[in-house]
Amino acid sequence: MRNDEDLRPSPETLLRVAQAEEEKERAKLKIFLGYAPGVGKTYAMLEAAQLRVRDGRDVAAAYVESHGRSETDLLLEGLEQIAKKGIDYQGVSLPEMDIDAVLARHPQIALVDELAHTNAPGSRHEKRWQDVEELLAAGIDVYTTVNIQHFESLNDLVAQITGVTVRETVPDRLLDLAVEIRLVDIPPEDLLQRLKEGKVYLPKRAAMAADKFFKPGNLMALRELSLRRAASRVDDQMRAYMESRSIEGPWHVAEKLLVCISGSPFSEKLIRITRRLADEMKAPWHTVYIETPGVGKEVRENRERVWRDLRLAESLGAQVGTLTATQVAQALIDYAHKNNITKIVVGKPAKARWREFLRQPLVDQVIRISGSIDVYVVSIDPGGEKAKVTAAAPAPRKEVPWGGYLKAFLLVMTTSLVCEPARHYLAPTNLVMMYLLAVVLAATRLGRRPAILTAFLGVLAFDFFFVPPRFTFAVTDTEYFITFAALFIVGVVISTLVSRSRERAEAIREREQQTSSLYYLTRELSASTGLDGILSALLKNIEESLNAKVAVLLPEENRLKVLQESEELRLDIKEMAVADWAFRNGQPAGRGTDTLVSASLLHLPLQTTGDTFGVLAVRLQDEVEYHSPLSRRLLQAFVSQAAFAIERVRLVQQAEEAQLMHARETLERALLNSISHDLRTPLVSITGALGALRDQESILEEDTRRDLMDAAWEEAARLNRFVANLLDMTRLESGALKLKRNPADVEDVVGCALAPLEPQLAKRKLVVSIPPGLPLVAMDQILMTQVLVNLIDNALKYSPPEAPIEVSARVDDTVLTLEVADRGPGVPESDLGRVFEKFYRIPVPEGAGGTGLGLSICKGVVDAHGGAIRAQNREGGGLLVRVTIPLRSNDKGV
Amino acid sequence: MSPNKTDSSIPRLLLVDDEAAVLRFLKSILSNGEYTLYQAENGHAALAAAATVRPDLIMLDLGLPDLDGVEVIKRIREWSQVPIIVLSVREAEDEKVKAFDAGADDYLTKPFGARELFARIKVALKRSLQEAPEPVFCVGELTVDLVKRRVAVRGEEVHLSPTEYELLRLMVSHAGRVLTHSQILKRIWGVTYVEQQNVLRVNIRNLRQKIEADPSRPQYITTEPGVGYRLKSE
């Protein structure tokens, strides 16, 4: 019994619904699904399109083929058609959808006929459904048509029913992607009638198969298939609806399926069966390939096939993985436990009984250790498929180790020669040991087959040379047959074991190399702080570990630019375009992928979950490498490591920028506050005083009037000073202020600084000490005068009226030192460094009225002279500011 | 142009500025009966007025809407030696030098006080009214007898080198006005020395050592930073 709490939709359910709703916001795919050519899919699609046009939607036919049927042509009228693109292939121009034109036109709805179509070689994508995916990604709704037999998971079933293999397939996920599926259905009798009337268009090459295909039985089966598929889709939607409303129903427990493939010819079938099972159970499913080191050589031969199977599984919606293990069954079960798999699908092998006797079949092993996991054993009918499959498998590379066989022969001859003299001292059975030794030697050095040959030759040689009667193959003592058999069997077993362990070691070494190269890359990446370091580490490691040529492209001003590349690798315009596509779509492209396959390089986006940073273009050693899951996985690992490193650098950069921005904002706020404060405060006194004088002049005492006027006058002067400071600061910071260095008389500079301060200085004690005979010093006299004015002004402001102010100048060997000292309160030690910052004010009562700019202007000027300015507290109280300006070589004494 | 009074003994002042507020301020502090005021709002009007009114003093803003003030000075100087005081917000030294080199007599940076303005006007008018310099120049405790070529401070004779004397004499003949570095260099050392400012600085320093009580706070020869020097006239 559930309580109310439980009946609420779970968060995950709501999330799924939300995602589905969000998807609705995105571009919609509508599929017109039929069960055979001629049921009227294109017609139905065009009808729907006309309705949309009437609704005022922007519809364009991206690719519609009427095949000259008048009803269809009629419907096409009034629809905008985007011109097709002719692609030259072997001298023939094949009309294809011009995807760039469609993207540029960007209608609300694009009509794309024949979803399963294979594009002409040289097109951007191999398949039209990939074009459709790109249109959807660009936010264009797509109406498309397809027949049921083109769907990947039903492919073999249809072949079984009709006996016609359909080569053009579409991944099932497109069916899942579709927001709406319109089933276009007519009874098979009507279809056959239309066929007779010649109303069904068939491509020429399909015409021959048509008789075989258009049989009432076939059509009925196909119709049922499409109806079922569409119904299950409705079922899905119903289920989703019920779940989102917490309507209880017969929910499936969460199932998870796993299928293990071996690169055998039957793997493909296993995958399709599992997909159908998974579909029926609404369960996610995994496909794993378990690589056993012992069969390393065969793996290499099978690589292409394994890779194709894995791609197939992936396109059917499986999560795929590859593992390396010696014990296939154990590894499979481990994987299943780790991923909460509930059911494992394995094929029932059609092997001879005697082989089962030698080695327990995988099925039995799995069943024995599967525990709570269900095991589905699927029978595979090898008949008929065998021929096809062997044709499809790539011809294994035969490398005949003639040298090995020759060496095996020599080895046996040598052993016989060694045994010859030993024959007198050793029993024949011990001579056998010598031959065994030769077999072990051959197994470790020459490989399996030469070792077996060694065993065989050894038996013959032993028989010929040492078993009486000697120098014949005849045997008098039949007991020797046991010796022969034992020698041969032991030889074979040893050679198998040794060579297997050798191959295992090789596989491990290969793995180890890859792991370590990844490790080195990671280490180098974490050590490099800049983009350049990351890129060159990436380049170097890929070059070394895959023996490949690499280029890294990053965007600069919206265009990809090659930042680093291997020698001998130049990217032409075409490769750049492919790289650009990979970058914009965040998907691999070029050689070894499904997209833009005619490129000569493989282009991988440098991608993290959030962002695409650039593209890596690789030229691998040979064709096999492009498809090998191992190299691809290693490349992927490299690329994502590099992408993360780039992201890290970017984030650090952004953080720094943000910090800088924050600091600038704080400064700007301080500036604004300070400016408004410093501009307004004097204005208060000025307007106050002027107001009083204007309105109440007659009643004011003479003294009061005088005071008011003095106050207004002083404040106006202060305001003027502040504006001058602000202007100086702005000029300093904008770099508009250029130093005019001329030889200057230090005494004159001091005099010029004192002149404007005379009113304040009149009542103060000032001690100026300048030794006579100072040389002229190159400086900007006006700016340095300003520095002294500011320093002396500060000294006047911050020290008591009775305390003296000291100004001194001296020239040592290479430095002019100017000092201004007062007997004021000084500056807290901790703030000594900050007094030259903008808007720093010594914490004293308001009355002092500094602008907070004076000292920072001083610092700006002194810095521009290449000098230094420091503040220090004096012994006995007060502040000393010291300015040092380095002399220039041509400052001469006078 | 708005002549307030027409008495020929009263100095005629021409005010040139395009800012109404500044004109208003100048007129209000100067209309005390001592001067006859004329005004012009742009460069061409100023040139026309200078020719027709024949003012005794021109107060000129540099930032005029039609002609640059420096250009106005140059054109007036082509035919007239009337004193020109520049009133400007431009405080950069090279602007000042340009104005002085063009022939301006004085330069006041806005904002300025009325007292300062009166003092400058007085100095300029004095110079324009009595063209021939006094044979003996006295300011503070400094006496320069141009006839006897004698210089004395507090009654004690000071010995100057020939160059120093020439320098002082030049400044005396332009007392109260700013002489730019290049003007001084040209007159005393010749055109080829125009860039040799060190020579001038050293001589000024030596001169100050001899006539000033405290050379670091000079009373007679003041420095206009970046522009030149001025000998106090009163």
Side-chain angles (χ1 to χ4, degrees):
Chain A
M1 181 76 197
R2 285 177 160 201
N3 56 29
D4 287 353
E5 197 76 12
D6 289 339
L7 279 172
R8 270 192 216 144
S10 70
E12 292 77 24
T13 314
L14 287 176
L15 191 66
R16 262 204 308 280
V17 173
Q19 275 169 354
E21 260 157 27
E22 195 177 294
E23 262 159 33
K24 273 184 215 147
E25 295 296 308
R26 282 189 245 142
K28 297 182 192 80
L29 174 67
K30 183 167 179 170
I31 294 180
F32 292 80
L33 181 69
Y35 66 89
V39 293
K41 299 179 299 293
T42 307
Y43 189 86
M45 176 174 78
L46 290 176
E47 245 178 3
Q50 290 286 7
L51 276 177
R52 289 287 91 77
V53 171
R54 233 165 286 155
D55 291 348
R57 300 287 300 274
D58 177 20
V59 183
Y63 187 96
V64 177
E65 197 58 73
S66 73
H67 300 302
R69 279 170 292 188
S70 51
E71 308 109 303
T72 320
D73 275 335
L74 215 62
L75 273 174
L76 254 176
E77 256 171 48
L79 276 177
E80 179 188 342
Q81 295 201 54
I82 296 169
K84 290 165 190 145
K85 187 159 105 182
I87 289 184
D88 288 325
Y89 180 63
Q90 295 180 346
V92 188
S93 177
L94 302 171
E96 292 291 353
M97 175 164 79
D98 187 348
I99 181 157
D100 289 317
V102 181
L103 286 172
R105 165 69 180 75
H106 210 282
Q108 281 177 319
I109 301 172
L111 310 180
V112 184
D113 215 357
E114 291 173 40
L115 183 64
H117 173 77
T118 301
N119 288 333
S123 307
R124 181 185 302 175
H125 299 289
E126 210 179 328
K127 302 281 189 181
R128 181 167 294 157
W129 59 263
Q130 291 171 314
D131 292 340
V132 166
E133 280 191 324
E134 196 172 334
L135 291 183
L136 290 170
I140 301 173
D141 290 356
V142 176
Y143 283 14
T144 189
T145 64
V146 68
N147 281 327
I148 189 74
Q149 67 264 33
H150 291 297
F151 280 100
E152 195 84 70
S153 67
L154 300 170
N155 192 256
D156 60 333
L157 208 63
V158 171
Q160 257 177 24
I161 294 170
T162 63
V164 177
T165 313
V166 179
R167 293 195 196 288
E168 299 188 323
T169 58
V170 176
D172 288 45
R173 78 184 135 83
L174 266 105
L175 210 53
D176 302 337
L177 202 70
V179 178
E180 194 184 338
I181 293 170
R182 173 85 80 85
L183 189 67
V184 184
D185 183 48
I186 57 170
E189 297 79 39
D190 293 7
L191 179 61
L192 288 170
Q193 185 62 36
R194 290 186 61 182
L195 188 70
K196 261 185 226 154
E197 289 165 8
K199 282 183 180 169
V200 177
Y201 170 81
L202 290 171
K204 281 191 191 86
R205 58 194 155 87
M208 290 198 300
D211 288 346
K212 210 169 153 194
F213 189 83
F214 285 96
K215 283 184 199 152
N218 282 353
L219 292 180
M220 253 144 45
L222 285 172
R223 190 180 182 205
E224 190 194 329
L225 210 58
S226 59
L227 287 171
R228 260 209 332 232
R229 199 69 182 78
S232 87
R233 172 65 198 210
V234 173
D235 194 34
D236 281 350
Q237 283 168 348
M238 181 66 189
R239 219 188 289 280
Y241 173 81
M242 286 169 77
E243 269 190 63
S244 72
R245 301 284 187 285
S246 280
I247 301 167
E248 280 198 84
W251 307 132
H252 291 274
V253 273
E255 297 277 14
K256 251 189 191 178
L257 275 71
L258 170 67
V259 61
C260 175
I261 59 162
S262 60
S264 99
F266 312 112
S267 296
E268 189 182 329
K269 190 159 186 184
L270 263 182
I271 289 169
R272 288 184 197 284
I273 290 170
T274 313
R275 150 85 199 201
R276 275 203 298 276
L277 268 174
D279 256 14
E280 277 164 28
M281 296 178 182
K282 303 274 165 275
W285 58 295
H286 292 232
T287 302
V288 288
Y289 165 62
I290 297 175
E291 188 181 315
T292 48
V295 288
K297 218 173 225 165
E298 287 160 42
V299 168
R300 224 165 298 142
E301 287 159 6
N302 271 354
R303 246 181 207 168
E304 286 247 359
R305 202 159 47 206
V306 170
W307 177 78
R308 223 176 22 225
D309 288 344
L310 285 176
R311 294 293 305 250
L312 171 72
E314 205 167 16
S315 74
L316 288 174
Q319 192 174 327
V320 300
T322 50
L323 308 169
T324 308
T326 47
Q327 294 293 317
V328 176
Q330 192 55 52
L332 193 61
I333 297 297
D334 287 347
Y335 181 90
H337 282 307
K338 212 183 293 167
N339 291 283
N340 300 321
I341 302 291
T342 54
K343 294 183 187 340
I344 296 176
V345 179
V346 282
K348 190 160 102 187
K351 281 186 181 168
R353 277 295 291 227
W354 64 269
R355 289 184 70 174
E356 281 181 32
F357 185 75
L358 284 178
R359 196 172 172 202
Q360 198 178 22
L362 183 65
V363 180
D364 295 356
Q365 292 179 41
V366 171
I367 291 173
R368 194 163 46 79
I369 58 174
S370 62
S372 64
I373 300 172
D374 298 344
V375 178
Y376 280 45
V377 182
V378 178
S379 73
I380 300 160
D381 169 28
E385 282 196 44
K386 194 112 193 173
K388 186 182 94 191
V389 161
T390 39
R397 278 183 296 166
K398 280 263 193 290
E399 58 177 272
V400 186
W402 289 117
Y405 294 134
L406 189 69
K407 280 180 193 159
F409 184 72
L410 289 175
L411 197 61
V412 174
M413 293 305 286
T414 317
T415 315
S416 306
L417 284 176
V418 171
C419 287
E420 176 59 27
R423 169 170 75 88
H424 308 289
Y425 316 104
L426 295 174
T429 37
N430 284 335
L431 292 177
V432 170
M433 294 303 150
M434 301 291 272
Y435 283 102
L436 267 184
L437 215 62
V439 170
V440 172
L441 206 64
T444 51
R445 289 290 154 85
L446 306 177
R448 186 157 168 262
R449 287 169 194 215
I452 292 172
L453 181 70
T454 310
F456 181 69
L457 290 178
V459 170
L460 288 184
F462 178 65
D463 178 11
F464 191 74
F465 292 114
F466 305 111
V467 175
R470 293 188 62 207
F471 306 115
T472 63
F473 289 111
V475 178
T476 42
D477 193 343
T478 45
E479 262 185 47
Y480 276 115
F481 284 113
I482 298 174
T483 318
F484 294 161
L487 174 57
F488 184 68
I489 290 169
V490 169
V492 169
V493 170
I494 287 178
S495 58
T496 308
L497 284 179
V498 170
S499 66
R500 185 177 293 181
S501 73
R502 214 171 60 156
E503 278 166 1
R504 191 172 305 174
E506 225 164 73
I508 289 172
R509 197 171 49 84
E510 200 170 278
R511 272 285 157 104
E512 206 274 329
Q513 259 178 359
Q514 294 185 347
T515 314
S516 63
S517 57
L518 198 55
Y519 165 72
Y520 284 125
L521 175 70
T522 319
R523 205 178 53 176
E524 277 180 40
L525 285 183
S526 58
S528 49
T529 49
L531 197 61
D532 283 347
I534 289 171
L535 296 187
S536 53
L538 179 68
L539 206 71
K540 195 183 99 198
N541 280 281
I542 295 182
E543 275 178 359
E544 279 171 9
S545 55
L546 286 167
N547 204 1
K549 301 278 175 243
V550 195
V552 188
L553 299 95
L554 292 189
E556 246 170 47
E557 289 162 9
N558 247 337
R559 287 191 57 190
L560 281 183
K561 205 178 151 225
V562 178
L563 282 199
Q564 295 204 3
E565 59 192 339
S566 311
E567 287 166 29
E568 310 157 32
L569 187 73
R570 289 286 171 275
L571 270 67
D572 55 18
I573 296 173
K574 187 177 167 194
E575 295 300 328
M576 291 298 282
V578 179
D580 192 62
W581 190 91
F583 176 68
R584 298 205 184 287
N585 292 273
Q587 279 171 18
R591 195 164 166 191
T593 67
D594 296 338
T595 305
L596 300 162
V597 286
S598 62
S600 60
L601 302 177
L602 169 62
H603 298 262
L604 297 169
L606 292 167
Q607 211 170 15
T608 61
T609 44
D611 223 338
T612 307
F613 298 105
V615 172
L616 179 86
V618 205
R619 184 163 76 209
L620 294 168
Q621 259 177 319
D622 54 32
E623 188 59 33
V624 178
E625 288 267 325
Y626 282 99
H627 297 294
S628 138
L630 272 182
S631 347
R632 285 293 290 272
R633 229 178 23 199
L634 188 65
L635 264 179
Q636 199 52 52
F638 277 147
V639 164
S640 48
Q641 284 297 330
F644 278 121
I646 294 173
E647 187 174 50
R648 176 172 55 86
V649 169
R650 290 267 160 98
L651 287 178
V652 168
Q653 233 168 31
Q654 277 169 14
E656 276 171 5
E657 272 165 22
Q659 207 176 1
L660 212 66
M661 188 84 85
H662 180 71
R664 196 179 304 148
E665 268 171 23
T666 316
L667 192 66
E668 273 168 10
R669 211 170 316 125
L671 182 76
L672 273 181
N673 286 344
S674 171
I675 288 178
S676 65
H677 173 266
D678 285 310
L679 289 179
R680 287 244 169 81
T681 316
L683 280 176
V684 171
S685 316
I686 296 168
T687 44
L690 288 178
L693 288 173
R694 192 181 66 177
D695 302 335
Q696 308 160 356
E697 197 186 359
S698 51
I699 55 167
L700 289 175
E701 296 279 327
E702 176 62 28
D703 284 355
T704 320
R705 274 186 7 218
R706 195 73 252 147
D707 282 352
L708 280 174
M709 284 191 286
D710 283 350
W713 178 251
E714 274 165 27
E715 286 303 293
R718 178 174 152 195
L719 190 60
N720 189 33
R721 228 170 31 239
F722 180 69
V723 173
N725 273 348
L726 264 186
L727 287 175
D728 284 348
M729 196 71 226
T730 316
R731 255 180 270 165
L732 266 179
E733 293 205 327
S734 67
L737 206 61
K738 293 219 172 57
L739 283 194
K740 279 178 245 159
R741 280 191 163 204
N742 282 316
D745 177 10
V746 178
E747 195 167 42
D748 194 17
V749 174
V750 173
C752 288
L754 293 175
L757 296 167
E758 281 305 334
Q760 291 116 288
L761 282 169
K763 293 165 245 163
R764 302 286 293 258
K765 190 169 181 320
L766 176 76
V767 182
V768 180
S769 48
I770 303 173
L774 284 186
L776 297 185
V777 177
M779 62 172 97
D780 189 310
Q781 193 171 347
I782 298 142
L783 291 177
M784 283 307 295
T785 304
Q786 189 61 43
V787 168
L788 283 177
V789 169
N790 288 357
L791 293 181
I792 297 169
D793 189 42
N794 270 350
L796 286 169
K797 266 189 301 208
Y798 293 112
S799 60
E802 67 283 358
I805 309 261
E806 292 157 47
V807 178
S808 72
R810 62 175 185 274
V811 171
D812 301 326
D813 287 347
T814 55
V815 182
L816 164 72
T817 307
L818 297 167
E819 286 177 349
V820 176
D822 63 41
R823 286 291 174 192
V827 171
E829 284 293 327
S830 55
D831 283 3
L832 277 175
R834 291 186 51 217
V835 293
F836 299 105
E837 283 174 19
K838 257 186 277 179
F839 303 111
Y840 174 85
R841 279 174 223 235
I842 297 170
V844 288
E846 187 65 12
T851 59
L853 282 172
L855 285 179
S856 56
I857 291 174
C858 293
K859 183 167 163 47
V861 171
V862 173
D863 283 350
H865 279 85
I869 185 164
R870 303 241 187 294
Q872 64 185 71
N873 287 317
R874 300 173 78 191
E875 266 178 53
L879 189 74
L880 171 87
V881 180
R882 177 179 298 131
V883 173
T884 51
I885 303 283
L887 298 192
R888 290 186 156 187
S889 51
N890 54 358
D891 293 337
K892 35 193 181 277
V894 178
Chain B
M1 279 176 283
S2 58
N4 291 8
K5 289 178 185 176
T6 47
D7 194 329
S8 62
S9 65
I10 295 176
R12 295 184 297 275
L13 266 54
L14 174 61
L15 314 176
V16 187
D17 205 309
D18 60 325
E19 289 282 340
V22 176
L23 277 179
R24 184 177 154 204
F25 160 68
L26 288 175
K27 277 199 284 190
S28 65
I29 60 169
L30 292 174
S31 44
N32 49 6
E34 285 182 39
Y35 312 107
T36 310
L37 302 179
Y38 300 85
Q39 69 177 61
E41 276 91 12
N42 60 56
H44 288 110
L47 287 174
T52 52
V53 174
R54 295 278 179 146
D56 297 303
L57 176 68
I58 298 175
M59 279 184 276
L60 178 70
D61 181 28
L62 288 185
L64 295 174
D66 53 346
L67 268 181
D68 189 77
V70 174
E71 186 60 32
V72 175
I73 300 173
K74 280 184 190 160
R75 292 203 192 168
I76 290 174
R77 278 288 172 264
E78 283 169 9
W79 56 272
S80 167
Q81 287 302 315
V82 58
I84 300 174
I85 299 177
V86 172
L87 307 177
S88 175
V89 287
R90 300 185 195 169
E91 54 174 355
E93 289 68 26
D94 47 351
E95 296 278 355
K96 290 185 189 170
V97 172
K98 259 190 249 166
F100 281 121
D101 283 344
D105 292 77
D106 212 339
Y107 196 110
L108 262 179
T109 308
K110 291 178 189 172
F112 47 80
R115 202 185 305 170
E116 184 79 16
L117 182 64
F118 285 136
R120 302 289 178 101
I121 290 175
K122 209 181 271 176
V123 170
L125 280 178
K126 187 175 158 196
R127 194 182 63 76
S128 84
L129 292 179
Q130 47 165 93
E131 271 307 316
E134 297 278 332
V136 178
F137 171 84
C138 283
V139 62
E141 289 167 326
L142 175 70
T143 315
V144 182
D145 187 333
L146 295 173
V147 181
K148 296 180 183 159
R149 297 175 71 95
R150 272 169 56 120
V151 179
V153 178
R154 278 180 304 260
E156 278 179 44
E157 187 171 346
V158 178
H159 294 284
L160 300 180
S161 73
T163 314
E164 286 160 11
Y165 178 76
E166 278 306 304
L167 187 55
L168 186 58
R169 195 189 59 78
L170 179 65
M171 299 190 81
V172 166
S173 65
H174 292 81
R177 291 172 65 191
V178 173
L179 283 165
T180 65
H181 298 133
S182 59
Q183 283 170 340
I184 300 174
L185 286 165
K186 235 184 276 179
R187 300 235 191 137
I188 299 195
W189 283 278
V191 182
T192 46
Y193 277 81
V194 166
E195 300 299 319
Q196 302 288 318
Q197 294 196 11
N198 322 6
V199 181
L200 177 57
R201 283 183 219 286
V202 172
N203 276 283
I204 291 282
R205 181 164 70 177
N206 294 343
L207 195 53
R208 278 180 180 154
Q209 299 279 359
K210 291 175 181 173
I211 63 173
E212 299 278 4
D214 178 357
S216 68
R217 298 168 79 174
Q219 297 301 308
Y220 306 122
I221 303 173
T222 54
T223 305
E224 288 290 322
V227 180
Y229 300 97
R230 181 206 301 268
L231 182 67
K232 268 180 114 179
S233 60
E234 56 187 39

